[in-house]
Amino acid sequence: MPAAEMTARLAFEPDRITVMGSKLPDPPYPAVHVWRVDGPPRSSLPLDDMILTLVERLHPYAAAIGDLAAELNRHEPENLATLQAVRFFTDEAPAADTPDRPLGWHLDRHVLDFLRTTRAELDVDEYGHDL
């Protein structure tokens, strides 16, 4: 499904659209349209805060996202709705293990309900200082 159609169905403009396809005629690969909403670039926010920020932004559209994900999955089961969080540890980031911010991260019921409603998978990546 073209990203422009996804935008029209969701009535929400993405931050970025990516279209990838085959440059070789044999075997031909269909174009893949990626509809994307981004958080802060190269963020060092704690993961739970980063995820909650995106969930709050998308929450009004959760049911529509879930309906669209279900439809796309019926036609192309390998396509997924994914909430991806990428965290970069930097020197400016607060200490990870403090009394108010212990190591690890937490997803509350609100976030879990959002993931269920949107039929989204959660993909988390964390990168250290050297990247």
Side-chain angles (χ1 to χ4, degrees):
M1 176 181 294
E5 185 175 342
M6 291 182 226
T7 300
R9 289 195 187 189
L10 297 174
F12 183 83
E13 286 290 327
D15 294 328
R16 189 177 346 172
I17 290 173
T18 304
V19 180
M20 298 173 286
S22 175
K23 294 181 181 181
L24 301 174
D26 190 29
Y29 291 103
V32 174
H33 294 253
V34 178
W35 188 96
R36 184 171 165 162
V37 175
D38 295 324
R42 293 190 65 92
S43 179
S44 60
L45 280 174
L47 280 168
D48 37 5
D49 292 344
M50 188 184 316
I51 291 167
L52 185 58
T53 299
L54 285 170
V55 167
E56 289 301 317
R57 184 173 171 201
L58 293 170
H59 187 266
Y61 308 94
I65 293 169
D67 291 345
L68 183 58
E71 179 183 337
L72 291 172
N73 193 282
R74 279 192 301 275
H75 297 5
E76 299 177 50
E78 69 278 358
N79 287 327
L80 302 171
T82 305
L83 193 152
Q84 182 180 46
V86 180
R87 180 174 182 211
F88 294 89
F89 294 100
T90 66
D91 292 333
E92 295 84 34
D97 193 14
T98 63
D100 61 328
R101 179 61 70 183
L103 287 174
W105 44 281
H106 170 83
L107 300 179
D108 64 17
R109 173 62 47 205
H110 176 66
V111 172
L112 295 174
D113 287 344
F114 174 84
L115 292 170
R116 181 190 49 77
T117 300
T118 59
R119 304 172 62 91
E121 293 186 353
L122 179 63
D123 176 23
V124 176
D125 297 329
E126 294 181 296
Y127 297 102
H129 293 283
D130 297 331
L131 298 177

